[in-house]
Amino acid sequence: MPFCDVGNADAVNNNGIKIFYRTYGSGPIKLLMIIGLAGTHDSWNPQIEGLVGTTKPNDDDRSSGDGVHNGNGIEVCAFDNRGMGLSSIPKNKSEYTTRIMAADAVSVMDHLGWKKAHVFGHSMGGMIACKLAALFPDRVLSLALLNVTGGGYECFPKLDRQTLSIAMRFLRAKTPEQRAAVDLDTHYTQEYLEEHIGLKTRRDILYREYVKGISATGMQSNHGFDGQINACWTHKISRTELEVIRAEGFLISVIHGRCDVIAQISHARRLAEKLYPLARMVELPGGHLVSHERTKEVNEALLDLIKASETKTSPYDWTNLLPKRSSCWTTSWSSSSRLNSEAESSNPTIIVGIAEKLRRIILYIFGIFVVAFEYIKRVLGRLKPVRVGPTLT
């Protein structure tokens, strides 16, 4: 089976770690896909099918162009992050950061002999991809960030009645069937789930697939789950790292479902604005797994990014963002910009925005309290949560 021993740049964190990967298709265009929390490499199958034409992996674990040829001339590599699937599962939570996991991804590229690649990441994988672009900008041809946030407090979902209900159901889930039901509401929009495919709704079809997957594919260990959560929580892209990405000049797509209940779209928009003029914001009517829910549109957006990058499209022809909203992230912070910021602080709309942020903070605190209270009740009642299989996020 194809495994990659990660590099020795950090002997403590990388000693003996193996990353499981698969390659698909063949061609001069190299594409690295990084999946999110509790996901495995095959969570990218809808994109691999659309970009390469098959989800059958290449047989050679050091693929050199012997895979299935496709009209787009693309070779894809997707892998299991450390802590999940067939990759190694370090026990120490400190061995999971987006910096370390970005180095894992580069080690896979080195193993395959790829000098550069188009790098796509979903959710936590988007955080890893963004960190890779900041640390190894010369290895990136283009960057696609799907349903991503900036990490840290931005990992908190939007707190409303729906998400609080999902959180309570998640905590109470004791069987694969209960976990599958709550995962569907987490990953997809209600409209999508209630669509009919023949005589059955999409919810019915996906529910059976999720139960089967959770029951059969194995469980993510506590070490792996806690470690990947730590990677999300400690992730941060500094202003300096953003400037490194912008200085390299590769094109970026930030793709997000408008109804994502896990990663709030406002955080994705803010990240895209900070990456002006390189970034294009693509908003689609979907949930957290917009790559599954709106496969055709996502695949078209990814192909557009690859083509624009390969044809050296100008960032100003690529972006659909306005410059004024990201001006505060330019390399020169002039005194006039500071004066404008001070003037804007007296604007009533800014005051309203501050009030809205305070309201959200209060909601976050309340939501955390509710979740913590429910968890304590379960512990006191000696209820042990079932260990179930991986999700697709």
Side-chain angles (χ1 to χ4, degrees):
M1 300 184 84
F3 286 93
C4 165
D5 293 310
V6 301
N8 295 318
D10 188 336
V12 174
N13 291 322
N14 289 336
N15 187 27
I17 303 298
K18 294 182 179 292
I19 301 298
F20 177 80
Y21 71 91
R22 289 287 195 189
T23 60
Y24 308 82
S26 177
I29 300 172
K30 309 302 182 183
L31 202 165
L32 186 71
M33 291 183 156
I34 310 176
I35 197 57
L37 176 71
T40 53
H41 66 282
D42 50 7
S43 297
W44 283 112
N45 278 355
Q47 280 59 61
I48 295 170
E49 174 75 29
L51 298 173
V52 176
T54 181
T55 55
K56 181 180 180 181
N58 299 330
D59 294 330
D60 185 1
D61 57 328
R62 287 186 63 86
S63 177
S64 57
D66 298 328
V68 177
H69 291 273
N70 58 87
N72 294 325
I74 297 173
E75 181 181 358
V76 170
C77 175
F79 61 93
D80 296 344
N81 289 308
R82 60 169 63 202
M84 187 58 200
L86 297 177
S87 292
S88 298
I89 305 174
K91 294 183 179 180
N92 194 330
K93 191 163 61 174
S94 65
E95 296 182 55
Y96 297 84
T97 66
T98 54
R99 176 181 290 269
I100 292 171
M101 296 165 89
D104 290 345
V106 171
S107 292
V108 173
M109 289 178 61
D110 291 340
H111 178 77
L112 294 171
W114 293 5
K115 293 183 178 179
K116 287 177 173 282
H118 301 274
V119 180
F120 299 171
H122 178 270
S123 194
M124 180 190 73
M127 301 180 200
I128 297 169
C130 204
K131 184 64 73 171
L132 187 159
L135 298 176
F136 310 96
D138 59 325
R139 307 298 297 270
V140 179
L141 291 170
S142 71
L143 185 65
L145 307 173
L146 286 73
N147 296 79
V148 73
T149 72
Y153 79 93
E154 293 187 7
C155 293
F156 282 116
K158 181 180 180 181
L159 291 180
D160 54 21
R161 183 178 298 178
Q162 178 187 7
T163 51
L164 286 174
S165 172
I166 289 173
M168 294 301 100
R169 289 167 58 203
F170 181 85
L171 289 172
R172 294 191 180 105
K174 304 182 192 65
T175 65
E177 289 78 11
Q178 291 173 336
R179 177 63 184 273
V182 70
D183 278 355
L184 291 180
D185 290 329
T186 303
H187 295 159
Y188 305 100
T189 61
Q190 296 301 311
E191 293 79 7
Y192 179 76
L193 292 173
E194 299 311 318
E195 288 179 2
H196 276 79
I197 308 296
L199 298 177
K200 297 180 180 179
T201 64
R202 200 182 298 273
R203 180 187 291 275
D204 295 331
I205 297 170
L206 287 172
Y207 175 76
R208 290 181 175 82
E209 293 177 1
Y210 269 57
V211 171
K212 182 179 178 181
I214 293 172
S215 302
T217 59
M219 300 172 289
Q220 183 178 29
S221 71
N222 291 335
H223 294 305
F225 182 75
D226 292 344
Q228 290 190 352
I229 288 290
N230 183 69
C232 295
W233 183 248
T234 59
H235 172 72
K236 181 181 180 182
I237 295 293
S238 67
R239 182 177 300 183
T240 300
E241 289 175 323
L242 286 168
E243 290 302 335
V244 168
I245 294 173
R246 292 176 61 200
E248 191 65 22
F250 48 77
L251 302 181
I252 302 167
S253 274
V254 179
I255 304 170
H256 212 98
R258 296 191 188 99
C259 302
D260 190 342
V261 298
I262 295 179
Q264 297 186 58
I265 194 170
S266 59
H267 300 315
R269 290 190 190 117
R270 190 176 303 114
L271 178 60
E273 289 164 2
K274 292 175 181 178
L275 293 168
Y276 176 88
L278 304 174
R280 171 184 287 185
M281 186 72 200
V282 181
E283 299 182 17
L284 297 171
H288 190 63
L289 270 181
V290 70
S291 54
H292 288 224
E293 188 169 344
R294 297 291 174 178
T295 298
K296 180 181 178 181
E297 294 94 325
V298 169
N299 289 351
E300 287 175 351
L302 296 177
L303 281 172
D304 286 345
L305 175 62
I306 293 172
K307 291 175 183 177
S309 177
E310 295 291 324
T311 58
K312 308 298 182 184
T313 299
S314 165
Y316 293 98
D317 292 331
W318 169 254
T319 188
N320 59 358
L321 303 172
L322 298 176
K324 64 179 181 179
R325 298 195 66 183
S326 49
S327 60
C328 62
W329 289 91
T330 55
T331 53
S332 60
W333 188 264
S334 65
S335 58
S336 62
S337 295
R338 289 195 296 270
L339 290 173
N340 288 337
S341 298
E342 292 170 2
E344 288 176 358
S345 65
S346 61
N347 192 311
T349 59
I350 301 300
I351 296 174
V352 172
I354 293 173
E356 176 62 19
K357 288 183 179 180
L358 289 174
R359 185 187 71 84
R360 290 179 180 177
I361 291 172
I362 293 171
L363 284 173
Y364 282 140
I365 295 172
F366 175 74
I368 294 170
F369 172 79
V370 171
V371 173
F373 178 73
E374 180 67 22
Y375 178 76
I376 292 170
K377 282 176 57 182
R378 295 182 68 195
V379 171
L380 293 177
R382 296 182 180 181
L383 296 177
K384 295 182 179 180
V386 65
R387 296 175 65 193
V388 295
T391 68
L392 293 174
T393 54

